[in-house]
């Protein structure tokens, strides 16, 4: 698995490890692949994912990974593949009923030690994090957004406007690699520089934690993409998400 993909998978493992037992979270490694699932949310492809698929030889492990997700109740599992590996992996996924859906881009930047921007702080306030994420992303069970809090390597930052929590973002550091994600700003506070402040805060925290490089995934050409470029990120490679329809 590529270092940037491994850093993201490590962040997911930390988040899944913090989920309540009744959600039936699954985070295991199988033959070089990482398998993630939440049994309580069978219809969510975003919570039934296999990462690390990078060669045709991964086929046997992929069958085991998908069987684990099927046993968990996943109706539409998803497989994440680096675009450079698609020629090798694609035929095997298509034969298993998967089609390529969302294309993302892996962005990277050096970790830079900067001061924490005004209004942004490290937080363990799960209620505020969940509130911002529910407003920014939609109605996902609030326990998902609390999962990483307090886990080793995980840092959550929170932006406030006065007494109101208006933005949040996660950072996970694994050695010299860091991952950022789960960032959002509430609708009423967008366009005010909150996203840029969250980025700067996490770049600084990553540097102070010993990371040399920070990576993130986003939709090419999106508002987030443009913000990342302004913050010094550049495109490293594409990542595609392959999904199997629930009817298969």
């Amino acid at each position: 698995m590529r270092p940037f993909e491994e850093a993201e998978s490590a962040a997911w493992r930390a988040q899944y490890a913090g989920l309540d037992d009744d959600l039936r979270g699954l985070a295991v490694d199988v033959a070089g692949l990482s398998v993630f699932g939440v049994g309580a949310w069978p219809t969510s492809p975003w919570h039934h994912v296999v990462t690390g698929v990078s060669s045709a030889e991964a086929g046997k492990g992929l069958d085991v990974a998908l069987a684990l997700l099927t046993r968990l109740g996943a109706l539409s599992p998803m497989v994440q593949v680096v675009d450079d590996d698609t020629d090798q992996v694609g035929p095997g996924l298509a034969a298993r009923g998967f089609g390529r859906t969302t294309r993302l881009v892996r962005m990277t930047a050096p970790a830079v030690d900067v001061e924490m921007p005004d209004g942004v702080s490290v937080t363990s306030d799960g209620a505020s994090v969940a509130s911002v994420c529910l407003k920014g992303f939609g109605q996902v069970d609030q326990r998902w957004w609390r999962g990483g809090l307090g886990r080793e390597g995980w840092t959550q930052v929170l932006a406030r406007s006065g007494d109101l929590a208006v933005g949040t973002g996660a950072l996970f550091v694994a050695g010299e690699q860091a991952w950022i994600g789960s960032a959002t700003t509430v609708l009423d506070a967008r366009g005010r520089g909150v996203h840029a402040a969250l980025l700067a805060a996490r770049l600084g925290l990553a540097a102070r934690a010993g990371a040399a490089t920070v990576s993130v995934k986003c939709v090419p050409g999106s508002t987030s993409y443009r913000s990342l470029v302004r913050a010094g990120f550049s495109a490293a490679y594409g990542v595609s998400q392959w999904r199997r329809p629930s009817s298969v």
Side-chain angles (χ1 to χ4, degrees), residues 139-154:
Q139 296 301 313
V140 175
D141 190 311
Q142 65 171 317
R143 289 175 291 177
W144 171 251
W145 307 113
R146 298 170 182 257
L149 295 175
R151 312 300 301 186
E152 184 177 356
W154 189 281

Side-chain angles (χ1 to χ4, degrees), residues 77-157:
M78 187 160 60
V79 176
Q80 184 167 287
V81 181
V82 173
D83 281 355
D84 295 349
D85 302 318
T86 295
D87 288 345
Q88 293 189 62
V89 176
L93 287 171
R96 291 173 173 85
F98 284 78
R100 181 152 45 167
T101 55
T102 308
R103 184 182 181 278
L104 304 169
V105 60
R106 174 69 66 185
M107 307 289 289
T108 62
V112 181
D113 192 357
V114 296
E115 293 184 7
M116 186 75 75
D118 291 342
V120 181
S121 59
V122 174
T123 186
S124 58
D125 181 357
S128 290
V129 170
S131 174
V132 171
C133 287
L134 289 173
K135 292 174 183 175
F137 291 116
Q139 296 301 313
V140 175
D141 190 311
Q142 65 171 317
R143 289 175 291 177
W144 171 251
W145 307 113
R146 298 170 182 257
L149 295 175
R151 312 300 301 186
E152 184 177 356
W154 189 281
T155 302
Q156 193 82 27
V157 295

Side-chain angles (χ1 to χ4, degrees), residues 29 54 56 81 83 90 105-106 108 112 144 161 168 186 229 237 247:
D29 293 329
S54 60
V81 181
D83 281 355
V105 60
R106 174 69 66 185
T108 62
V112 181
W144 171 251
S161 177
T168 189
V186 300
V229 170
Y237 48 81
S247 59

Side-chain angles (χ1 to χ4, degrees), residues 3-213:
F4 299 141
E5 304 311 299
E6 175 54 39
E8 181 178 67
S9 293
W12 290 359
R13 289 186 205 106
Q15 188 162 14
Y16 274 77
L19 295 179
D20 293 346
D21 290 343
D22 66 298
L23 294 177
R24 294 186 292 125
L26 171 73
V28 297
D29 293 329
V30 176
L33 310 179
S34 293
V35 188
F36 301 97
V38 181
W41 306 328
T43 61
S44 173
W46 310 106
H47 296 100
H48 295 95
V49 182
V50 181
T51 67
V53 182
S54 60
S55 71
E57 288 71 30
K60 186 175 181 180
L62 184 57
D63 286 337
V64 174
L66 293 174
L68 288 172
L69 293 179
T70 297
R71 191 179 308 162
L72 195 63
L75 297 178
S76 183
M78 187 160 60
V79 176
Q80 184 167 287
V81 181
V82 173
D83 281 355
D84 295 349
D85 302 318
T86 295
D87 288 345
Q88 293 189 62
V89 176
L93 287 171
R96 291 173 173 85
F98 284 78
R100 181 152 45 167
T101 55
T102 308
R103 184 182 181 278
L104 304 169
V105 60
R106 174 69 66 185
M107 307 289 289
T108 62
V112 181
D113 192 357
V114 296
E115 293 184 7
M116 186 75 75
D118 291 342
V120 181
S121 59
V122 174
T123 186
S124 58
D125 181 357
S128 290
V129 170
S131 174
V132 171
C133 287
L134 289 173
K135 292 174 183 175
F137 291 116
Q139 296 301 313
V140 175
D141 190 311
Q142 65 171 317
R143 289 175 291 177
W144 171 251
W145 307 113
R146 298 170 182 257
L149 295 175
R151 312 300 301 186
E152 184 177 356
W154 189 281
T155 302
Q156 193 82 27
V157 295
L158 190 70
R160 293 185 181 275
S161 177
D163 294 332
L164 297 177
V166 296
T168 189
L171 163 71
F172 186 84
V173 178
E176 293 188 351
Q177 302 292 341
W179 164 90
I180 60 173
S182 301
T184 189
T185 303
V186 300
L187 184 60
D188 292 346
R190 292 176 185 175
R192 302 182 191 172
V194 175
H195 190 254
L198 294 171
L199 277 173
R202 288 176 291 168
L203 286 171
L205 290 167
R208 290 194 285 279
T213 308

